[in-house]
Amino acid sequence: MNLLNETHNPALRSWLASANTSGCDFPIQNLPFAVFRRRGSAEAFRGGVAIGDQIVDLAALAQTALLGGDAQQAAQAGSQPKLNALMALGPTAWSALRLALSRLLREGVAQQAQLQACLVPQAVAEHDVPAQIGDYTDFYTSVHHATNIGKQFRPDNPLLPNYKWVPIGYHGRVSSIGVSGQAFARPRGQVKAPDADVPTLKPSQRMDIELELGVFIGTGNALGDAVPITEAESHVFGICLLNDWSARDLQGWEYQPLGPFLAKNFASTISPWVVTLEALAPYRVPFTRPADDPQPLPYLDSEANRAGGAFDIQLQVGLQTTRMREAGEQDAAISRTSYRHAYWTLAQMVTHHTVNGCNLQPGDLLGTGTLSGPTLDQAGALIELTQGGKNPVALPNGETRTFLQDGDAVVLRGWCEQPGAARVGFGECWGTVLPAR
Amino acid sequence: MNLLNETHNPALRSWLASANTSGCDFPIQNLPFAVFRRRGSAEAFRGGVAIGDQIVDLAALAQTALLGGDAQQAAQAGSQPKLNALMALGPTAWSALRLALSRLLREGVAQQAQLQACLVPQAVAEHDVPAQIGDYTDFYTSVHHATNIGKQFRPDNPLLPNYKWVPIGYHGRVSSIGVSGQAFARPRGQVKAPDADVPTLKPSQRMDIELELGVFIGTGNALGDAVPITEAESHVFGICLLNDWSARDLQGWEYQPLGPFLAKNFASTISPWVVTLEALAPYRVPFTRPADDPQPLPYLDSEANRAGGAFDIQLQVGLQTTRMREAGEQDAAISRTSYRHAYWTLAQMVTHHTVNGCNLQPGDLLGTGTLSGPTLDQAGALIELTQGGKNPVALPNGETRTFLQDGDAVVLRGWCEQPGAARVGFGECWGTVLPAR
């Protein structure tokens, strides 16, 4: 578990004014990672760290004499087009770079001009998926989501008997993961109406979102070596936003007995910025279970996990229709929740994933599953918000939605905020549904 | 569809005597690809082509002046430690290299000495997984396997309603895929006996095999572009043997509702040699459906697929216990079948996978799913062969097996053979279960 240290001090201010503004996602206490280049340029992508409305270019920084030791090694590893080498270095190196950047970005430092030369405005940057993702695993850690979805298929028995024992997960598709801004054609697939004799091939009519967090693995484990829960978090590099788009009509017809496939693998969108666990340390909250529920098996239990294995990350889903966009209107919030409601922690995800000896590798991505909260208005998917498409969501301009229409853009946002701590934000994760080809 | 050409002529003989022996898997009509190096050396892995008991070293060949044009380009691409670049070149380049090698390896050619300098004996070689696999998808194309497995869970309704319409598939784990010779610790996991109140964590007691073929994708498709069935086979580089090890007790407890996860992702073993579709052309057979079954939807149907979309590949599973190994006994065959019994062809797998716009990439691996034949002795998994562990398999030395014991080694073999065509073999795919850690 990351302890609080000088980098978390909420009184810290940066010499970069934009980092000190109220509501800024990227103050000096955050320092998340991405890969970037100047938009439309032929530059190589390289790692960067967000500060205010700027990006610290790690490739440029590594060429200066501003860093030493582990921090310099981390900046060099972070200079590549993907962050896998940085992720593989482990927590000591990540923390050293964070501390060095925190000190260099503070008001009054002598090296301000040298660091300023390493800044690129976020307004001119474009991003790529931050790692070469070897494997993508999606979990199912919200008991509220599992119950809401289960009710639609099995009204009398919504939650399967294994749910409260097993952190359910399954493998997803890597090739179609894109970064914020991803636009994709509405997928076609086989669908069969309940009263139809035969299925037909057509564009999905039940295009949905899934509000998730993505967990990037840092250091891996060798095949055959389980990661004990006391070490699980040291294998986690950081967290991003993840929209696991889902075609519910395809899913309903195809998913038995081996799970979702074409209903999910046409696109998954992540935010460019990866927030480290160290930055999130002030927002740890206890992981608890209702007294009547089974407690986790010993391999999924630890004192640290109980004391602070959960995170209070505020989450919001926004929807912007074509009409709203053409009228110059912002997206409208359709759901708000927090990651604190998850039934399984990220340490439990890592430990369960490896208990059979499965090897995780630097850059692997774990999804939390849809993070629906306890009430329906906190649900992270339209199929829940609209109760299977029966109760449309009303938008401020009078439009309604059950599932997504062509041209709809969805934005996920995440942030941590509480008295006595600096805000830590995740930025935005945008994606747009285009007409079927 | 690959047509027969001069490379398939069964009368062709090589100047390498070992390629002309009866029962050889690698005659001059086969020419499969692998990556290799001399065992225990610090050499880089590079591509090679099997001929008799030798390997044509593609890196060495590319340094000679023996090839030109597309064949030379293919040999250069195949000189790297993984075959992705060769796979990405497409059928024209693969065929050009095959034709050039066929001509150079024939009896009586003038360049024999130059090519001989590029040979490395298979006896001194070690192999690696032949591609950087971006994504691994496992299908479920044997209706006999689906029915046998389904009977154990749902005796009255073994086959789900979607099976005969949808080529069911799901995503698997890439990181734990190893090459023949892989040995892995028996996985631990949560299991729950039907009469137990709570699950426990323990080593799997129902360790099983799955006899499959693996299909390596050659050229990919862009995200959003479906691959029509008339073009599907041109995206396939070749076929290998695949053992998709399965822990049935973990699977039974975890698999609902999102499919198998820890029951499968601890290890999957493939053969080093990848046999091209062109080499398999003489063994194409018609793809047919029972008259009472639904015919494939139009996007999964083509004249070429009906005429020759299936392949008659003979398959065999061998088991060698520790006692057999210590007594110097060979493995004993416990199942024999053919790929011709599959309910969905590989062209249908590729087309279905991409119909929603999902992008395949060079080096992606598709598994066929367990290739059980129509009768139980043709089943590709112990859970079928032993009817859920009730009827043990008898071995020649008096031992019996329901599921695998520590030290058991399993070998998959595959080959094509018929009058008027040369034998085309896949070599062997070995794996061993070690005690749990």
Side-chain angles (χ1 to χ4, degrees):
Chain A
M1 178 170 319
N2 312 96
L3 300 175
L4 296 188
N5 57 44
E6 68 173 78
T7 66
H8 300 99
N9 181 354
L12 291 182
R13 289 172 58 87
S14 173
W15 46 257
L16 187 73
S18 65
N20 305 323
T21 55
S22 163
C24 174
D25 271 352
F26 308 123
I28 192 169
Q29 294 86 354
N30 188 353
L31 303 177
F33 291 87
V35 301
F36 79 101
R37 66 177 176 190
R38 285 181 182 78
R39 190 178 304 122
S41 74
E43 293 174 356
F45 282 98
R46 65 276 192 186
V49 174
I51 179 74
D53 61 4
Q54 303 288 310
I55 301 170
V56 181
D57 180 338
L58 289 179
L61 180 63
Q63 297 299 311
T64 69
L66 290 168
L67 304 176
D70 285 341
Q72 172 64 10
Q73 193 190 359
Q76 279 174 336
S79 301
Q80 299 178 23
K82 297 285 186 183
L83 297 181
N84 298 64
L86 173 62
M87 291 168 166
L89 285 180
T92 304
W94 311 331
S95 283
L97 180 55
R98 173 181 168 85
L99 178 60
L101 280 169
S102 173
R103 289 178 177 170
L104 287 166
L105 288 163
R106 288 179 201 170
E107 275 182 341
V109 295
Q111 304 95 328
Q112 176 177 339
Q114 290 163 271
L115 200 54
Q116 209 138 20
C118 300
L119 296 184
V120 174
Q122 287 167 30
V124 306
E126 65 181 351
H127 296 281
D128 192 7
V129 174
Q132 183 73 36
I133 300 171
D135 281 289
Y136 163 43
T137 300
D138 203 16
F139 282 87
Y140 197 53
T141 68
S142 164
V143 69
H144 309 296
H145 172 68
T147 305
N148 294 341
I149 292 281
K151 272 181 188 159
Q152 302 197 16
F153 293 95
R154 300 172 301 274
D156 299 332
N157 179 30
L159 207 60
L160 292 168
N162 57 8
Y163 187 86
K164 292 184 176 179
W165 297 99
V166 181
I168 296 289
Y170 70 112
H171 293 292
R173 183 83 193 171
V174 171
S175 68
S176 53
I177 297 175
V179 76
S180 181
Q182 186 175 32
F184 58 87
R186 177 181 297 271
R188 291 176 189 276
Q190 280 193 37
V191 297
K192 192 179 94 58
D195 57 347
D197 288 334
V198 301
T200 53
L201 180 76
K202 60 180 178 187
S204 170
Q205 299 305 302
R206 289 165 72 90
M207 262 302 304
D208 202 352
I209 55 164
E210 292 201 334
L211 166 66
E212 302 197 17
L213 291 171
V215 177
F216 274 105
I217 295 299
T219 43
N221 61 297
L223 192 60
D225 284 352
V227 176
I229 192 162
T230 49
E231 294 171 22
E233 285 189 355
S234 69
H235 290 264
V236 173
F237 178 73
I239 297 179
C240 65
L241 303 167
L242 165 62
N243 189 344
D244 191 35
W245 309 91
S246 298
R248 300 296 180 192
D249 39 2
L250 277 59
Q251 186 175 351
W253 175 232
E254 78 172 1
Y255 90 102
Q256 284 188 314
L258 298 179
F261 180 49
L262 299 188
K264 304 272 193 174
N265 66 10
F266 53 90
S268 311
T269 312
I270 61 174
S271 62
W273 295 107
V274 183
V275 177
T276 63
L277 286 202
E278 190 173 359
L280 293 167
Y283 296 96
R284 287 179 176 276
V285 289
F287 164 75
T288 56
R289 281 282 169 86
D292 291 346
D293 277 12
Q295 297 305 304
L297 289 183
Y299 79 101
L300 294 173
D301 187 30
S302 77
E303 197 177 315
N305 191 60
R306 269 176 271 135
F311 293 87
D312 188 17
I313 301 172
Q314 309 300 314
L315 298 166
Q316 190 189 81
V317 181
L319 175 61
Q320 187 190 48
T321 67
T322 302
R323 230 178 81 194
M324 292 162 73
R325 193 161 48 246
E326 288 174 356
E329 295 163 12
Q330 300 298 307
D331 61 284
I334 58 171
S335 180
R336 292 183 181 84
T337 186
S338 165
Y339 182 39
R340 68 181 303 156
H341 303 302
Y343 199 80
W344 298 102
T345 66
L346 59 85
Q348 289 168 327
M349 286 160 57
V350 169
T351 291
H352 183 66
H353 203 317
T354 62
V355 71
N356 68 342
C358 182
N359 54 328
L360 303 179
Q361 300 183 117
D364 281 354
L365 183 66
L366 313 184
T368 57
T370 308
L371 291 172
S372 299
T375 61
L376 263 192
D377 59 322
Q378 296 173 310
L382 286 166
I383 193 172
E384 298 167 71
L385 291 167
T386 67
Q387 292 170 283
K390 291 197 291 283
N391 302 322
V393 169
L395 300 173
N397 69 351
E399 288 185 282
T400 61
R401 283 292 182 277
T402 49
F403 293 96
L404 296 175
Q405 295 191 8
D406 292 346
D408 284 354
V410 173
V411 56
L412 309 185
R413 295 187 182 88
W415 67 92
C416 302
E417 212 165 37
Q418 69 189 19
R423 178 182 167 103
V424 171
F426 287 74
E428 297 182 339
C429 177
W430 282 91
T432 305
V433 183
L434 304 177
R437 293 200 189 159
Chain B
M1 178 170 320
N2 314 95
L3 301 176
L4 297 188
N5 56 44
E6 68 172 78
T7 65
H8 300 98
N9 180 354
L12 291 182
R13 289 171 59 86
S14 174
W15 46 257
L16 187 73
S18 65
N20 305 324
T21 55
S22 162
C24 173
D25 271 352
F26 308 123
I28 192 169
Q29 293 86 355
N30 188 352
L31 304 175
F33 291 87
V35 300
F36 79 100
R37 66 178 175 190
R38 284 180 182 80
R39 190 177 304 122
S41 74
E43 293 175 357
F45 283 99
R46 66 274 191 188
V49 173
I51 178 74
D53 60 6
Q54 303 289 309
I55 303 171
V56 181
D57 180 339
L58 289 179
L61 180 64
Q63 297 299 312
T64 69
L66 290 168
L67 304 177
D70 285 340
Q72 172 65 10
Q73 193 191 359
Q76 279 174 335
S79 301
Q80 299 178 22
K82 297 286 187 184
L83 297 181
N84 298 63
L86 173 62
M87 290 167 167
L89 286 180
T92 304
W94 311 330
S95 282
L97 180 56
R98 173 181 167 86
L99 177 60
L101 280 170
S102 173
R103 288 177 176 170
L104 286 166
L105 287 163
R106 289 179 201 168
E107 273 182 342
V109 294
Q111 304 95 328
Q112 176 177 339
Q114 289 162 271
L115 198 56
Q116 206 138 21
C118 300
L119 296 184
V120 175
Q122 287 168 30
V124 306
E126 63 180 353
H127 296 281
D128 192 6
V129 174
Q132 183 73 36
I133 300 170
D135 281 289
Y136 162 44
T137 300
D138 202 16
F139 282 86
Y140 198 54
T141 67
S142 163
V143 69
H144 308 296
H145 172 67
T147 305
N148 293 341
I149 292 281
K151 271 182 188 160
Q152 302 198 15
F153 294 94
R154 301 171 300 274
D156 298 334
N157 180 28
L159 207 60
L160 292 167
N162 56 9
Y163 187 86
K164 292 184 175 178
W165 297 100
V166 181
I168 296 288
Y170 70 112
H171 293 293
R173 182 84 194 170
V174 172
S175 68
S176 52
I177 297 174
V179 75
S180 181
Q182 187 176 30
F184 57 88
R186 177 181 297 270
R188 291 175 189 278
Q190 280 193 36
V191 298
K192 193 177 95 57
D195 57 347
D197 289 333
V198 301
T200 52
L201 180 75
K202 60 181 179 186
S204 170
Q205 299 305 303
R206 290 164 72 89
M207 263 302 304
D208 202 353
I209 55 165
E210 291 201 333
L211 166 66
E212 303 196 15
L213 291 171
V215 178
F216 274 104
I217 296 298
T219 43
N221 61 297
L223 192 59
D225 283 352
V227 176
I229 193 162
T230 49
E231 294 172 21
E233 285 189 356
S234 69
H235 291 263
V236 172
F237 177 73
I239 297 180
C240 65
L241 303 167
L242 165 61
N243 188 343
D244 191 34
W245 308 91
S246 299
R248 300 296 179 193
D249 38 3
L250 278 59
Q251 186 174 353
W253 175 232
E254 77 171 1
Y255 90 102
Q256 286 189 312
L258 298 179
F261 179 49
L262 299 188
K264 303 272 194 175
N265 67 9
F266 54 89
S268 311
T269 312
I270 60 175
S271 62
W273 295 107
V274 183
V275 176
T276 63
L277 287 202
E278 189 173 359
L280 294 166
Y283 296 96
R284 289 180 176 275
V285 290
F287 163 75
T288 55
R289 280 282 170 86
D292 290 347
D293 278 10
Q295 296 306 302
L297 289 183
Y299 79 102
L300 295 173
D301 186 32
S302 78
E303 196 177 317
N305 190 60
R306 269 175 271 134
F311 293 87
D312 187 19
I313 302 173
Q314 308 301 313
L315 298 165
Q316 189 190 82
V317 182
L319 174 62
Q320 186 191 48
T321 67
T322 302
R323 227 177 86 194
M324 291 162 75
R325 193 161 48 247
E326 289 175 354
E329 294 163 14
Q330 300 298 307
D331 62 283
I334 59 172
S335 181
R336 291 183 181 83
T337 184
S338 164
Y339 182 40
R340 70 182 299 156
H341 302 303
Y343 198 80
W344 298 101
T345 65
L346 59 86
Q348 289 169 327
M349 287 161 54
V350 168
T351 291
H352 183 67
H353 203 317
T354 62
V355 71
N356 69 341
C358 181
N359 55 329
L360 302 179
Q361 302 183 117
D364 282 353
L365 183 67
L366 313 184
T368 56
T370 308
L371 291 172
S372 299
T375 60
L376 264 192
D377 59 321
Q378 296 173 311
L382 286 165
I383 192 170
E384 297 166 72
L385 290 168
T386 67
Q387 291 169 284
K390 291 197 291 285
N391 300 323
V393 169
L395 301 173
N397 68 351
E399 288 185 283
T400 62
R401 282 293 181 275
T402 50
F403 293 96
L404 296 175
Q405 296 191 8
D406 293 345
D408 284 354
V410 174
V411 55
L412 309 184
R413 295 187 181 88
W415 67 91
C416 302
E417 213 165 40
Q418 69 188 20
R423 177 181 168 104
V424 171
F426 287 73
E428 297 182 342
C429 177
W430 282 91
T432 305
V433 183
L434 304 177
R437 292 198 189 161

